[in-house]
Amino acid sequence: MTDNTASPLTASAPRRSLRSRSGLARARRIVVKVGSSSLTSVAGGISDEALSRLADVLAARHARGTEIILVSSGAISAGLAPLGLTKRPTQLSSQQAAASVGQGLLMARYTQAFGKHGVTVSQVLLTVEDLMRRTTHVNANRAMERLLNFGVVPIVNENDTVASHEIRFGDNDRLAALVAHLVKADALILLSDVDALYDGPPSEGAVRIPEVTGMQDLEDVRIGKVGGAGVGTGGMATKVEAATIAAQSGIPALVTSASNAGAALAGEDVGTWFTGRGRRQPVRLLWLAHVARIQGTLVVDDGAAKAVGDRRRSLLAAGITSVEGHFEPGDPVAISDQAGSVIAHGLTNYGSDELPQMLGRSTRELSKDLGRSYERAVVHVNDLVLLQDHGSGAPAPEVPGPASSAVAPAATANTLGA
């Protein structure tokens, strides 16, 4: 195990936000995500050569003092051959079985590849709930920090063996974006089998997009799906989404190919750079805005739409005109205005079966007729994330501020941490 405490890259100077890709050369903590398509051999399964090349690059940067967190897909791919499967199964239970078999094989290969450089690696398996619950969120953060203090390279994957369709990140690109926030990384690098984001299919002469400074740069851009190897779950669309999740809340991201990993870490002009903008958001609200499986919709009147969208208030039953879908208390729901535009996502305090009797009624009335348990907001400001400023159409997830008016009062947002 290496000791990086004396490295110039881990000096006591405060961290500064990276303004451009050249800053990657001096970044002190980087989350790197690699997809299955970048690790898969022509014959199928994990390519030892591809995995070793990546480990060589990351170990070299680690030796210079940079803290590296690797988010790696590939467990399901590694488990296919031992189970006699020729392609990625569509059945969830078969995916879970392949992941269970493959995760150990994948970690054994990473242990060997990094071990050649004297670098210790660790396995960190996460589920959505690990980042959403305060206790497990804090534990995950504490464990990662301690591993980095020991000079270890954590290798993170979604815990596919136990994750269900309802409680999963969906792909490791979004997981990587959330991990970057969990560990307060300086930057996120997303590696695949495509060297950059292009303004169309590269085979049709498309031009590389070197930098994305805002959503306006992605207008009229045709984005591809799953990579050529056919073993991944994402594709360029999820890379762009993950990079946007990170960038919109202060963590710059670079999308490029695994073969460009060394050049990317050196700050060279490769891939597509997503400029960090805005302030860092709590992980739970990033999940709620971008990853959560929305179970239903609360349609609100114009007054409530302005209160939630413009004045950052909690949502009360008085402002809700209709309820769509079936959901339980604590489920993620969308909040929509009368025109059908989704203003926000939030966690509801009531199920879809009890809300109809509450619509249009004041908190005082509900408390008097139904009991004090109905004094709660339907969606509290602390459990709500705006998808846009109401009426502006500009995507910008934000943490709402204090509440009042047709909404319940709230103190400072008590979220899970940035």
Side-chain angles (χ1 to χ4, degrees), residues 11 24 55 113 123 135 173 209 341:
L24 286 170
Q123 174 179 265
T135 301
D173 296 311
I209 300 174
S341 176

Side-chain angles (χ1 to χ4, degrees), residues 14-363:
R15 295 183 185 181
R16 296 179 180 178
S17 177
L18 303 186
R19 300 294 184 183
S20 67
R21 74 182 73 226
S22 62
L24 286 170
R26 59 176 174 81
R28 295 166 54 192
R29 178 176 292 182
I30 301 175
V31 172
V32 178
K33 187 268 176 178
V34 62
S36 297
S37 60
S38 300
L39 298 175
T40 306
S41 66
V42 176
I46 299 299
S47 166
D48 287 327
E49 181 181 358
L51 188 147
S52 294
R53 282 199 303 268
L54 177 63
D56 291 345
V57 171
L58 299 183
R61 182 57 184 266
H62 181 270
R64 293 183 53 212
T66 298
E67 295 172 332
I68 300 290
I69 300 93
L70 175 61
V71 178
S72 176
S73 301
I76 294 177
S77 297
L80 297 182
L83 294 180
L85 301 174
T86 58
K87 61 180 181 180
R88 183 187 179 94
T90 57
Q91 187 179 37
L92 178 60
S93 60
S94 296
Q95 293 177 13
Q96 291 171 326
S100 181
V101 171
Q103 185 63 38
L105 298 173
L106 183 66
M107 282 304 304
R109 296 179 186 183
Y110 273 126
T111 298
Q112 182 180 26
F114 278 96
K116 294 177 181 177
H117 303 279
V119 177
T120 299
V121 300
S122 70
Q123 174 179 265
V124 179
L125 299 177
L126 296 173
T127 65
V128 167
E129 291 186 342
D130 292 329
L131 297 185
M132 298 314 111
R133 294 180 178 177
R134 179 171 179 78
T135 301
T136 52
H137 172 275
V138 170
N139 287 339
N141 177 266
R142 184 185 296 120
M144 296 280 267
E145 290 291 341
R146 194 61 179 144
L147 287 168
L148 294 171
N149 289 342
F150 275 120
V152 172
V153 172
I155 298 179
V156 183
N157 198 355
E158 180 165 14
N159 195 348
D160 289 308
T161 301
V162 299
S164 67
H165 288 306
E166 288 73 22
I167 52 167
R168 67 183 307 156
F169 296 99
D171 59 75
N172 276 342
D173 296 311
R174 283 176 285 191
L175 169 60
L178 296 185
V179 168
H181 284 268
L182 175 70
V183 301
K184 298 179 175 62
D186 295 325
L188 168 66
I189 298 179
L190 298 163
L191 303 176
S192 68
D193 53 356
V194 180
D195 67 335
L197 173 63
Y198 288 79
D199 61 3
S203 60
E204 298 178 12
V207 177
R208 175 176 76 105
I209 300 174
E211 184 174 4
V212 174
T213 59
M215 297 304 295
Q216 70 279 357
D217 294 340
L218 299 177
E219 294 178 0
D220 301 322
V221 175
R222 287 185 291 165
I223 301 175
K225 302 295 184 180
V226 177
V231 296
T233 60
M236 186 55 71
T238 63
K239 306 291 183 297
V240 171
E241 181 182 11
T244 301
I245 291 173
Q248 282 185 340
S249 52
I251 298 180
L254 181 71
V255 175
T256 191
S257 63
S259 60
N260 281 338
L265 288 167
E268 297 178 16
D269 185 16
V270 297
T272 299
W273 175 260
F274 287 73
T275 304
R277 53 197 185 278
R279 55 195 172 95
R280 300 201 178 197
Q281 302 289 348
V283 171
R284 185 176 64 150
L285 295 189
L286 290 172
W287 163 78
L288 189 55
H290 301 283
V291 183
R293 188 184 180 95
I294 301 302
Q295 301 296 321
T297 300
L298 306 177
V299 181
V300 301
D301 60 27
D302 291 342
K306 291 180 179 179
V308 171
D310 294 343
R311 300 198 297 273
R312 315 293 196 264
R313 311 296 173 81
S314 297
L315 176 65
L316 298 186
I320 303 175
T321 60
S322 64
V323 177
E324 301 172 0
H326 176 74
F327 48 85
E328 303 293 334
D331 281 347
V333 295
I335 299 173
S336 169
D337 63 18
Q338 294 292 304
S341 176
V342 177
I343 303 166
H345 290 168
L347 301 178
T348 176
N349 285 320
Y350 303 93
S352 55
D353 58 340
E354 56 185 335
L355 274 172
Q357 65 178 326
M358 301 169 57
L359 303 189
R361 303 176 69 182
S362 70
T363 301

